[in-house]
Amino acid sequence: MNENSEYILETRNLNLYYGNFLAVADVNIKIRRHQITAIIGPSGCGKSTLLRAFNRMNELVPTARTEGEILFNNENIYDPSIDPVEVRRRIGMVFQKPNPFPKSIYENIAWGLRINGFRGSKSELDDLVEKALRDAALWDEVKDKLDQSGLSLSGGQQQRLCIARTIAVRPEVILMDEPASALDPIATLRIEELMQELKKNYTIIIVTHNMQQAARVSDYTAMMMLRNHEDRSGTVIEFDRTEVIFTNPRDKRTQDYVTGRFG
Amino acid sequence: MTAITSSLRDITFEQQLAQRQRRGKILEIAALIAILLGIAMLLTLLVDVVIDGLPWLRPQLFTEFPSRFPEKSGLRSAIQGSIWLMVFTSIMVIPIGVGAGIYLEEFAPRNRLTEFIEINIANLAGVPSIIYGLLGLGLFVRGLGLGRSLIAGALTMTLLVLPIIIVTTREAIRAVPRSIRLAALALGASQWETARDHVLVYSMPAILTGVILAMSRAIGETAPLITIGALTYIAFDLRGPLDIFTVLPIQIFNWVSLPQKGFHDLAAAGIIVLLVLLLSMNALAIWLRNRLFIRW
């Protein structure tokens, strides 16, 4: 394992199926460490499916099946010897709709630490909870009400709580599935600013429908689209630096999509 | 209506409208009569029972054993039997029922066998209770040689309410949104940790409500206990789970079937006790639901 190589994740001939339906076909991309990679593309082209393959959340769909490899620090996470629980601890996820636990704000963060083997004192736990909340730019808003339910927060705060919960267990990668699509523009902006902060310590992969958002926040962009209209399988048609994708794409379909001339 | 000029008025429409509204009114009244009928019957029953039974609601009712004389009769052994039957049934049925519900909802593979088991559990919840009595008689009283004991009765009741508890547990668990499970799993939790610390915790108020309602059904059950041979005349305190026993509804049934008027009134008093018990259990369930349920 080389923790310092330029690429943290790499997909090799990745095919993702639901039953017999090939949802995502033949993806070969390399994700750079400490960069934000956006996955964009029209609805139904398999963006979320691809994202969920990176921490084996796809397997929770009973019919889902994976072919090919995803190398995480050069180790195949789909190797039979790898436990998906271990993968998910190191590759965390933030969901589209904020989903805090209906527990206190404090417990929302402490729980992940405890199940991942935290055995320290109460004050050490307090420190870790505070650090996670600070890193998620939420501490100042909630420090006086840590015992209140996570559900009592606003949508944007809830989403930052979910981010705090995720980074508390110190994953290496954070997967974000349209993390701001349920939020208002101001809350969205805060999440985007937060991502720029988090990038220093984490690698982020974000699925977004919002092309301005992809252009604003990401360093690299993967453009996904259906291969053809017969098999309805999505694939990555172009993967490059974000400014290239948005200003000078090689693929005509990418150009049509990012300039809004698609469909 | 008056604002609409006559040239725009649609006579046919207006006539039909009046007729349509009349029809709605008629149905409304019919529905009202239906509910009043139900309430009236219940009230008649209650008033009748209270008038007969109230004078007999005195301390002796709770402290005396049954006797040949109505004045000396009480529900002591029946109340003991009912309470201990509930205690033993709960001890057995809650872990098994909740465990089965969790397994089916959170862990069982989606295949034909699971489906088959699910359909059968749903059907079992609708099987007449006397069938469970016969099963209990064959299996526990005779098969395991437990005799007409409290434990045989509790085991029979366990079988009777088990499907109900499994079904309500599953419903309670299903009400926990999938997004919560995903959140826990994405933090690197195992399926068991997710179920233990989240799914089970958040569904517990609903599960408890279901358990209480199932128990309040069990406390009123008579047929299966008569089938396994629960006695009506027990004139001593319950000494243990292997002792013979009786319960409230059986005692009431027995008193009603005696010829003396005194016993009939005593039965009415017993019904009041049973009703109060049932209503308090249901009230507790409703209170739990209102207080502890999580609004997602």
Side-chain angles (χ1 to χ4, degrees), chain A residues 8-29:
Chain A
I8 190 164
L9 281 162
E10 178 181 351
T11 68
R12 286 192 180 161
N13 306 321
L14 189 67
N15 289 321
L16 305 169
Y17 293 86
Y18 292 118
N20 291 323
F21 168 58
L22 179 59
V24 174
D26 197 26
V27 173
N28 291 281
I29 55 173

mmCIF file with all atom_site columns, all heavy atoms in Angstrom, chain A residues 8-29:
data_model
loop_
_atom_site.group_PDB
_atom_site.id
_atom_site.type_symbol
_atom_site.label_atom_id
_atom_site.label_alt_id
_atom_site.label_comp_id
_atom_site.label_asym_id
_atom_site.label_entity_id
_atom_site.label_seq_id
_atom_site.pdbx_PDB_ins_code
_atom_site.Cartn_x
_atom_site.Cartn_y
_atom_site.Cartn_z
_atom_site.occupancy
_atom_site.B_iso_or_equiv
_atom_site.pdbx_formal_charge
_atom_site.auth_seq_id
_atom_site.auth_comp_id
_atom_site.auth_asym_id
_atom_site.auth_atom_id
_atom_site.pdbx_PDB_model_num
ATOM 1   N N   . ILE A 1 8  ? -5.654  8.008   -5.174  1.00 0.00 ? 8  ILE A N   1
ATOM 2   C CA  . ILE A 1 8  ? -6.127  7.262   -4.013  1.00 0.00 ? 8  ILE A CA  1
ATOM 3   C C   . ILE A 1 8  ? -7.065  6.133   -4.437  1.00 0.00 ? 8  ILE A C   1
ATOM 4   O O   . ILE A 1 8  ? -7.115  5.077   -3.810  1.00 0.00 ? 8  ILE A O   1
ATOM 5   C CB  . ILE A 1 8  ? -6.799  8.212   -2.990  1.00 0.00 ? 8  ILE A CB  1
ATOM 6   C CG1 . ILE A 1 8  ? -7.079  7.490   -1.676  1.00 0.00 ? 8  ILE A CG1 1
ATOM 7   C CG2 . ILE A 1 8  ? -8.074  8.819   -3.543  1.00 0.00 ? 8  ILE A CG2 1
ATOM 8   C CD1 . ILE A 1 8  ? -7.377  8.419   -0.535  1.00 0.00 ? 8  ILE A CD1 1
ATOM 9   N N   . LEU A 1 9  ? -7.806  6.382   -5.509  1.00 0.00 ? 9  LEU A N   1
ATOM 10  C CA  . LEU A 1 9  ? -8.777  5.386   -5.987  1.00 0.00 ? 9  LEU A CA  1
ATOM 11  C C   . LEU A 1 9  ? -8.603  5.205   -7.490  1.00 0.00 ? 9  LEU A C   1
ATOM 12  O O   . LEU A 1 9  ? -8.320  6.170   -8.215  1.00 0.00 ? 9  LEU A O   1
ATOM 13  C CB  . LEU A 1 9  ? -10.211 5.855   -5.714  1.00 0.00 ? 9  LEU A CB  1
ATOM 14  C CG  . LEU A 1 9  ? -10.757 5.688   -4.291  1.00 0.00 ? 9  LEU A CG  1
ATOM 15  C CD1 . LEU A 1 9  ? -11.968 6.577   -4.085  1.00 0.00 ? 9  LEU A CD1 1
ATOM 16  C CD2 . LEU A 1 9  ? -11.116 4.239   -4.007  1.00 0.00 ? 9  LEU A CD2 1
ATOM 17  N N   . GLU A 1 10 ? -8.788  3.973   -7.916  1.00 0.00 ? 10 GLU A N   1
ATOM 18  C CA  . GLU A 1 10 ? -8.695  3.716   -9.347  1.00 0.00 ? 10 GLU A CA  1
ATOM 19  C C   . GLU A 1 10 ? -9.687  2.618   -9.702  1.00 0.00 ? 10 GLU A C   1
ATOM 20  O O   . GLU A 1 10 ? -9.733  1.580   -9.038  1.00 0.00 ? 10 GLU A O   1
ATOM 21  C CB  . GLU A 1 10 ? -7.267  3.253   -9.694  1.00 0.00 ? 10 GLU A CB  1
ATOM 22  C CG  . GLU A 1 10 ? -7.111  2.910   -11.158 1.00 0.00 ? 10 GLU A CG  1
ATOM 23  C CD  . GLU A 1 10 ? -5.703  2.420   -11.503 1.00 0.00 ? 10 GLU A CD  1
ATOM 24  O OE1 . GLU A 1 10 ? -4.803  2.511   -10.626 1.00 0.00 ? 10 GLU A OE1 1
ATOM 25  O OE2 . GLU A 1 10 ? -5.530  1.944   -12.627 1.00 0.00 ? 10 GLU A OE2 1
ATOM 26  N N   . THR A 1 11 ? -10.496 2.853   -10.709 1.00 0.00 ? 11 THR A N   1
ATOM 27  C CA  . THR A 1 11 ? -11.423 1.802   -11.138 1.00 0.00 ? 11 THR A CA  1
ATOM 28  C C   . THR A 1 11 ? -10.833 1.108   -12.356 1.00 0.00 ? 11 THR A C   1
ATOM 29  O O   . THR A 1 11 ? -10.237 1.748   -13.222 1.00 0.00 ? 11 THR A O   1
ATOM 30  C CB  . THR A 1 11 ? -12.815 2.356   -11.515 1.00 0.00 ? 11 THR A CB  1
ATOM 31  O OG1 . THR A 1 11 ? -12.693 3.136   -12.717 1.00 0.00 ? 11 THR A OG1 1
ATOM 32  C CG2 . THR A 1 11 ? -13.376 3.243   -10.419 1.00 0.00 ? 11 THR A CG2 1
ATOM 33  N N   . ARG A 1 12 ? -10.996 -0.207  -12.395 1.00 0.00 ? 12 ARG A N   1
ATOM 34  C CA  . ARG A 1 12 ? -10.494 -0.976  -13.543 1.00 0.00 ? 12 ARG A CA  1
ATOM 35  C C   . ARG A 1 12 ? -11.619 -1.814  -14.129 1.00 0.00 ? 12 ARG A C   1
ATOM 36  O O   . ARG A 1 12 ? -12.129 -2.712  -13.458 1.00 0.00 ? 12 ARG A O   1
ATOM 37  C CB  . ARG A 1 12 ? -9.358  -1.889  -13.105 1.00 0.00 ? 12 ARG A CB  1
ATOM 38  C CG  . ARG A 1 12 ? -8.082  -1.111  -12.835 1.00 0.00 ? 12 ARG A CG  1
ATOM 39  C CD  . ARG A 1 12 ? -6.920  -2.039  -12.698 1.00 0.00 ? 12 ARG A CD  1
ATOM 40  N NE  . ARG A 1 12 ? -5.710  -1.276  -12.437 1.00 0.00 ? 12 ARG A NE  1
ATOM 41  C CZ  . ARG A 1 12 ? -4.617  -1.800  -11.914 1.00 0.00 ? 12 ARG A CZ  1
ATOM 42  N NH1 . ARG A 1 12 ? -4.581  -3.085  -11.616 1.00 0.00 ? 12 ARG A NH1 1
ATOM 43  N NH2 . ARG A 1 12 ? -3.555  -1.051  -11.718 1.00 0.00 ? 12 ARG A NH2 1
ATOM 44  N N   . ASN A 1 13 ? -11.962 -1.506  -15.366 1.00 0.00 ? 13 ASN A N   1
ATOM 45  C CA  . ASN A 1 13 ? -13.001 -2.244  -16.102 1.00 0.00 ? 13 ASN A CA  1
ATOM 46  C C   . ASN A 1 13 ? -14.238 -2.469  -15.234 1.00 0.00 ? 13 ASN A C   1
ATOM 47  O O   . ASN A 1 13 ? -14.762 -3.566  -15.130 1.00 0.00 ? 13 ASN A O   1
ATOM 48  C CB  . ASN A 1 13 ? -12.477 -3.603  -16.582 1.00 0.00 ? 13 ASN A CB  1
ATOM 49  C CG  . ASN A 1 13 ? -11.199 -3.437  -17.370 1.00 0.00 ? 13 ASN A CG  1
ATOM 50  O OD1 . ASN A 1 13 ? -11.063 -2.479  -18.142 1.00 0.00 ? 13 ASN A OD1 1
ATOM 51  N ND2 . ASN A 1 13 ? -10.271 -4.339  -17.164 1.00 0.00 ? 13 ASN A ND2 1
ATOM 52  N N   . LEU A 1 14 ? -14.674 -1.398  -14.590 1.00 0.00 ? 14 LEU A N   1
ATOM 53  C CA  . LEU A 1 14 ? -15.763 -1.525  -13.627 1.00 0.00 ? 14 LEU A CA  1
ATOM 54  C C   . LEU A 1 14 ? -17.113 -1.617  -14.348 1.00 0.00 ? 14 LEU A C   1
ATOM 55  O O   . LEU A 1 14 ? -17.478 -0.738  -15.132 1.00 0.00 ? 14 LEU A O   1
ATOM 56  C CB  . LEU A 1 14 ? -15.749 -0.303  -12.697 1.00 0.00 ? 14 LEU A CB  1
ATOM 57  C CG  . LEU A 1 14 ? -16.671 -0.362  -11.491 1.00 0.00 ? 14 LEU A CG  1
ATOM 58  C CD1 . LEU A 1 14 ? -16.223 -1.427  -10.505 1.00 0.00 ? 14 LEU A CD1 1
ATOM 59  C CD2 . LEU A 1 14 ? -16.724 0.995   -10.803 1.00 0.00 ? 14 LEU A CD2 1
ATOM 60  N N   . ASN A 1 15 ? -17.834 -2.701  -14.061 1.00 0.00 ? 15 ASN A N   1
ATOM 61  C CA  . ASN A 1 15 ? -19.199 -2.862  -14.552 1.00 0.00 ? 15 ASN A CA  1
ATOM 62  C C   . ASN A 1 15 ? -20.116 -3.042  -13.361 1.00 0.00 ? 15 ASN A C   1
ATOM 63  O O   . ASN A 1 15 ? -19.849 -3.877  -12.495 1.00 0.00 ? 15 ASN A O   1
ATOM 64  C CB  . ASN A 1 15 ? -19.322 -4.110  -15.440 1.00 0.00 ? 15 ASN A CB  1
ATOM 65  C CG  . ASN A 1 15 ? -18.623 -3.920  -16.766 1.00 0.00 ? 15 ASN A CG  1
ATOM 66  O OD1 . ASN A 1 15 ? -18.661 -2.849  -17.361 1.00 0.00 ? 15 ASN A OD1 1
ATOM 67  N ND2 . ASN A 1 15 ? -17.963 -4.968  -17.229 1.00 0.00 ? 15 ASN A ND2 1
ATOM 68  N N   . LEU A 1 16 ? -21.192 -2.267  -13.310 1.00 0.00 ? 16 LEU A N   1
ATOM 69  C CA  . LEU A 1 16 ? -22.122 -2.377  -12.192 1.00 0.00 ? 16 LEU A CA  1
ATOM 70  C C   . LEU A 1 16 ? -23.486 -2.791  -12.706 1.00 0.00 ? 16 LEU A C   1
ATOM 71  O O   . LEU A 1 16 ? -24.038 -2.156  -13.600 1.00 0.00 ? 16 LEU A O   1
ATOM 72  C CB  . LEU A 1 16 ? -22.228 -1.028  -11.460 1.00 0.00 ? 16 LEU A CB  1
ATOM 73  C CG  . LEU A 1 16 ? -20.895 -0.448  -10.970 1.00 0.00 ? 16 LEU A CG  1
ATOM 74  C CD1 . LEU A 1 16 ? -21.069 0.978   -10.505 1.00 0.00 ? 16 LEU A CD1 1
ATOM 75  C CD2 . LEU A 1 16 ? -20.312 -1.302  -9.854  1.00 0.00 ? 16 LEU A CD2 1
ATOM 76  N N   . TYR A 1 17 ? -24.001 -3.867  -12.137 1.00 0.00 ? 17 TYR A N   1
ATOM 77  C CA  . TYR A 1 17 ? -25.273 -4.421  -12.589 1.00 0.00 ? 17 TYR A CA  1
ATOM 78  C C   . TYR A 1 17 ? -26.333 -4.307  -11.508 1.00 0.00 ? 17 TYR A C   1
ATOM 79  O O   . TYR A 1 17 ? -26.037 -4.392  -10.319 1.00 0.00 ? 17 TYR A O   1
ATOM 80  C CB  . TYR A 1 17 ? -25.130 -5.918  -12.888 1.00 0.00 ? 17 TYR A CB  1
ATOM 81  C CG  . TYR A 1 17 ? -24.248 -6.266  -14.056 1.00 0.00 ? 17 TYR A CG  1
ATOM 82  C CD1 . TYR A 1 17 ? -22.873 -6.405  -13.889 1.00 0.00 ? 17 TYR A CD1 1
ATOM 83  C CD2 . TYR A 1 17 ? -24.799 -6.514  -15.302 1.00 0.00 ? 17 TYR A CD2 1
ATOM 84  C CE1 . TYR A 1 17 ? -22.061 -6.752  -14.946 1.00 0.00 ? 17 TYR A CE1 1
ATOM 85  C CE2 . TYR A 1 17 ? -23.997 -6.865  -16.372 1.00 0.00 ? 17 TYR A CE2 1
ATOM 86  C CZ  . TYR A 1 17 ? -22.634 -6.983  -16.192 1.00 0.00 ? 17 TYR A CZ  1
ATOM 87  O OH  . TYR A 1 17 ? -21.840 -7.337  -17.240 1.00 0.00 ? 17 TYR A OH  1
ATOM 88  N N   . TYR A 1 18 ? -27.595 -4.153  -11.947 1.00 0.00 ? 18 TYR A N   1
ATOM 89  C CA  . TYR A 1 18 ? -28.740 -4.444  -11.079 1.00 0.00 ? 18 TYR A CA  1
ATOM 90  C C   . TYR A 1 18 ? -29.449 -5.611  -11.739 1.00 0.00 ? 18 TYR A C   1
ATOM 91  O O   . TYR A 1 18 ? -30.076 -5.446  -12.784 1.00 0.00 ? 18 TYR A O   1
ATOM 92  C CB  . TYR A 1 18 ? -29.683 -3.253  -10.968 1.00 0.00 ? 18 TYR A CB  1
ATOM 93  C CG  . TYR A 1 18 ? -29.065 -2.076  -10.214 1.00 0.00 ? 18 TYR A CG  1
ATOM 94  C CD1 . TYR A 1 18 ? -28.864 -0.854  -10.845 1.00 0.00 ? 18 TYR A CD1 1
ATOM 95  C CD2 . TYR A 1 18 ? -28.702 -2.206  -8.879  1.00 0.00 ? 18 TYR A CD2 1
ATOM 96  C CE1 . TYR A 1 18 ? -28.304 0.216   -10.158 1.00 0.00 ? 18 TYR A CE1 1
ATOM 97  C CE2 . TYR A 1 18 ? -28.142 -1.141  -8.190  1.00 0.00 ? 18 TYR A CE2 1
ATOM 98  C CZ  . TYR A 1 18 ? -27.950 0.062   -8.830  1.00 0.00 ? 18 TYR A CZ  1
ATOM 99  O OH  . TYR A 1 18 ? -27.392 1.111   -8.153  1.00 0.00 ? 18 TYR A OH  1
ATOM 100 N N   . GLY A 1 19 ? -29.358 -6.795  -11.167 1.00 0.00 ? 19 GLY A N   1
ATOM 101 C CA  . GLY A 1 19 ? -29.885 -7.974  -11.840 1.00 0.00 ? 19 GLY A CA  1
ATOM 102 C C   . GLY A 1 19 ? -29.122 -8.171  -13.133 1.00 0.00 ? 19 GLY A C   1
ATOM 103 O O   . GLY A 1 19 ? -27.894 -8.234  -13.130 1.00 0.00 ? 19 GLY A O   1
ATOM 104 N N   . ASN A 1 20 ? -29.851 -8.230  -14.252 1.00 0.00 ? 20 ASN A N   1
ATOM 105 C CA  . ASN A 1 20 ? -29.174 -8.402  -15.536 1.00 0.00 ? 20 ASN A CA  1
ATOM 106 C C   . ASN A 1 20 ? -28.908 -7.077  -16.235 1.00 0.00 ? 20 ASN A C   1
ATOM 107 O O   . ASN A 1 20 ? -28.323 -7.043  -17.312 1.00 0.00 ? 20 ASN A O   1
ATOM 108 C CB  . ASN A 1 20 ? -30.015 -9.296  -16.471 1.00 0.00 ? 20 ASN A CB  1
ATOM 109 C CG  . ASN A 1 20 ? -30.042 -10.723 -15.973 1.00 0.00 ? 20 ASN A CG  1
ATOM 110 O OD1 . ASN A 1 20 ? -29.037 -11.223 -15.463 1.00 0.00 ? 20 ASN A OD1 1
ATOM 111 N ND2 . ASN A 1 20 ? -31.190 -11.357 -16.084 1.00 0.00 ? 20 ASN A ND2 1
ATOM 112 N N   . PHE A 1 21 ? -29.382 -5.994  -15.609 1.00 0.00 ? 21 PHE A N   1
ATOM 113 C CA  . PHE A 1 21 ? -29.248 -4.691  -16.240 1.00 0.00 ? 21 PHE A CA  1
ATOM 114 C C   . PHE A 1 21 ? -27.887 -4.093  -15.917 1.00 0.00 ? 21 PHE A C   1
ATOM 115 O O   . PHE A 1 21 ? -27.518 -3.930  -14.745 1.00 0.00 ? 21 PHE A O   1
ATOM 116 C CB  . PHE A 1 21 ? -30.379 -3.775  -15.747 1.00 0.00 ? 21 PHE A CB  1
ATOM 117 C CG  . PHE A 1 21 ? -30.190 -2.331  -16.114 1.00 0.00 ? 21 PHE A CG  1
ATOM 118 C CD1 . PHE A 1 21 ? -30.065 -1.953  -17.446 1.00 0.00 ? 21 PHE A CD1 1
ATOM 119 C CD2 . PHE A 1 21 ? -30.142 -1.355  -15.125 1.00 0.00 ? 21 PHE A CD2 1
ATOM 120 C CE1 . PHE A 1 21 ? -29.898 -0.615  -17.778 1.00 0.00 ? 21 PHE A CE1 1
ATOM 121 C CE2 . PHE A 1 21 ? -29.973 -0.027  -15.458 1.00 0.00 ? 21 PHE A CE2 1
ATOM 122 C CZ  . PHE A 1 21 ? -29.851 0.347   -16.792 1.00 0.00 ? 21 PHE A CZ  1
ATOM 123 N N   . LEU A 1 22 ? -27.133 -3.809  -16.964 1.00 0.00 ? 22 LEU A N   1
ATOM 124 C CA  . LEU A 1 22 ? -25.818 -3.208  -16.794 1.00 0.00 ? 22 LEU A CA  1
ATOM 125 C C   . LEU A 1 22 ? -26.023 -1.705  -16.638 1.00 0.00 ? 22 LEU A C   1
ATOM 126 O O   . LEU A 1 22 ? -26.268 -0.994  -17.605 1.00 0.00 ? 22 LEU A O   1
ATOM 127 C CB  . LEU A 1 22 ? -24.944 -3.521  -18.012 1.00 0.00 ? 22 LEU A CB  1
ATOM 128 C CG  . LEU A 1 22 ? -23.527 -2.952  -18.023 1.00 0.00 ? 22 LEU A CG  1
ATOM 129 C CD1 . LEU A 1 22 ? -22.727 -3.430  -16.836 1.00 0.00 ? 22 LEU A CD1 1
ATOM 130 C CD2 . LEU A 1 22 ? -22.820 -3.325  -19.321 1.00 0.00 ? 22 LEU A CD2 1
ATOM 131 N N   . ALA A 1 23 ? -25.959 -1.220  -15.403 1.00 0.00 ? 23 ALA A N   1
ATOM 132 C CA  . ALA A 1 23 ? -26.276 0.186   -15.142 1.00 0.00 ? 23 ALA A CA  1
ATOM 133 C C   . ALA A 1 23 ? -25.098 1.093   -15.469 1.00 0.00 ? 23 ALA A C   1
ATOM 134 O O   . ALA A 1 23 ? -25.267 2.162   -16.052 1.00 0.00 ? 23 ALA A O   1
ATOM 135 C CB  . ALA A 1 23 ? -26.679 0.369   -13.675 1.00 0.00 ? 23 ALA A CB  1
ATOM 136 N N   . VAL A 1 24 ? -23.912 0.649   -15.092 1.00 0.00 ? 24 VAL A N   1
ATOM 137 C CA  . VAL A 1 24 ? -22.713 1.438   -15.371 1.00 0.00 ? 24 VAL A CA  1
ATOM 138 C C   . VAL A 1 24 ? -21.695 0.508   -16.015 1.00 0.00 ? 24 VAL A C   1
ATOM 139 O O   . VAL A 1 24 ? -21.412 -0.570  -15.493 1.00 0.00 ? 24 VAL A O   1
ATOM 140 C CB  . VAL A 1 24 ? -22.140 2.043   -14.075 1.00 0.00 ? 24 VAL A CB  1
ATOM 141 C CG1 . VAL A 1 24 ? -20.805 2.735   -14.356 1.00 0.00 ? 24 VAL A CG1 1
ATOM 142 C CG2 . VAL A 1 24 ? -23.115 3.037   -13.461 1.00 0.00 ? 24 VAL A CG2 1
ATOM 143 N N   . ALA A 1 25 ? -21.183 0.931   -17.166 1.00 0.00 ? 25 ALA A N   1
ATOM 144 C CA  . ALA A 1 25 ? -20.339 0.027   -17.941 1.00 0.00 ? 25 ALA A CA  1
ATOM 145 C C   . ALA A 1 25 ? -18.932 0.575   -18.097 1.00 0.00 ? 25 ALA A C   1
ATOM 146 O O   . ALA A 1 25 ? -18.737 1.760   -18.373 1.00 0.00 ? 25 ALA A O   1
ATOM 147 C CB  . ALA A 1 25 ? -20.963 -0.196  -19.328 1.00 0.00 ? 25 ALA A CB  1
ATOM 148 N N   . ASP A 1 26 ? -17.970 -0.309  -17.887 1.00 0.00 ? 26 ASP A N   1
ATOM 149 C CA  . ASP A 1 26 ? -16.610 -0.100  -18.319 1.00 0.00 ? 26 ASP A CA  1
ATOM 150 C C   . ASP A 1 26 ? -16.031 1.257   -17.897 1.00 0.00 ? 26 ASP A C   1
ATOM 151 O O   . ASP A 1 26 ? -15.638 2.063   -18.730 1.00 0.00 ? 26 ASP A O   1
ATOM 152 C CB  . ASP A 1 26 ? -16.561 -0.239  -19.852 1.00 0.00 ? 26 ASP A CB  1
ATOM 153 C CG  . ASP A 1 26 ? -15.129 -0.455  -20.313 1.00 0.00 ? 26 ASP A CG  1
ATOM 154 O OD1 . ASP A 1 26 ? -14.333 -0.976  -19.515 1.00 0.00 ? 26 ASP A OD1 1
ATOM 155 O OD2 . ASP A 1 26 ? -14.830 -0.082  -21.459 1.00 0.00 ? 26 ASP A OD2 1
ATOM 156 N N   . VAL A 1 27 ? -15.973 1.469   -16.592 1.00 0.00 ? 27 VAL A N   1
ATOM 157 C CA  . VAL A 1 27 ? -15.423 2.735   -16.094 1.00 0.00 ? 27 VAL A CA  1
ATOM 158 C C   . VAL A 1 27 ? -13.966 2.523   -15.687 1.00 0.00 ? 27 VAL A C   1
ATOM 159 O O   . VAL A 1 27 ? -13.639 1.613   -14.927 1.00 0.00 ? 27 VAL A O   1
ATOM 160 C CB  . VAL A 1 27 ? -16.240 3.260   -14.892 1.00 0.00 ? 27 VAL A CB  1
ATOM 161 C CG1 . VAL A 1 27 ? -15.555 4.489   -14.272 1.00 0.00 ? 27 VAL A CG1 1
ATOM 162 C CG2 . VAL A 1 27 ? -17.648 3.617   -15.337 1.00 0.00 ? 27 VAL A CG2 1
ATOM 163 N N   . ASN A 1 28 ? -13.095 3.356   -16.237 1.00 0.00 ? 28 ASN A N   1
ATOM 164 C CA  . ASN A 1 28 ? -11.680 3.328   -15.864 1.00 0.00 ? 28 ASN A CA  1
ATOM 165 C C   . ASN A 1 28 ? -11.252 4.749   -15.537 1.00 0.00 ? 28 ASN A C   1
ATOM 166 O O   . ASN A 1 28 ? -10.948 5.527   -16.427 1.00 0.00 ? 28 ASN A O   1
ATOM 167 C CB  . ASN A 1 28 ? -10.833 2.803   -17.031 1.00 0.00 ? 28 ASN A CB  1
ATOM 168 C CG  . ASN A 1 28 ? -11.098 1.330   -17.290 1.00 0.00 ? 28 ASN A CG  1
ATOM 169 O OD1 . ASN A 1 28 ? -10.596 0.467   -16.590 1.00 0.00 ? 28 ASN A OD1 1
ATOM 170 N ND2 . ASN A 1 28 ? -11.929 1.053   -18.296 1.00 0.00 ? 28 ASN A ND2 1
ATOM 171 N N   . ILE A 1 29 ? -11.299 5.108   -14.266 1.00 0.00 ? 29 ILE A N   1
ATOM 172 C CA  . ILE A 1 29 ? -10.849 6.452   -13.897 1.00 0.00 ? 29 ILE A CA  1
ATOM 173 C C   . ILE A 1 29 ? -9.938  6.370   -12.681 1.00 0.00 ? 29 ILE A C   1
ATOM 174 O O   . ILE A 1 29 ? -9.964  5.396   -11.925 1.00 0.00 ? 29 ILE A O   1
ATOM 175 C CB  . ILE A 1 29 ? -12.026 7.420   -13.588 1.00 0.00 ? 29 ILE A CB  1
ATOM 176 C CG1 . ILE A 1 29 ? -12.948 6.853   -12.527 1.00 0.00 ? 29 ILE A CG1 1
ATOM 177 C CG2 . ILE A 1 29 ? -12.791 7.763   -14.842 1.00 0.00 ? 29 ILE A CG2 1
ATOM 178 C CD1 . ILE A 1 29 ? -14.027 7.823   -12.073 1.00 0.00 ? 29 ILE A CD1 1
#
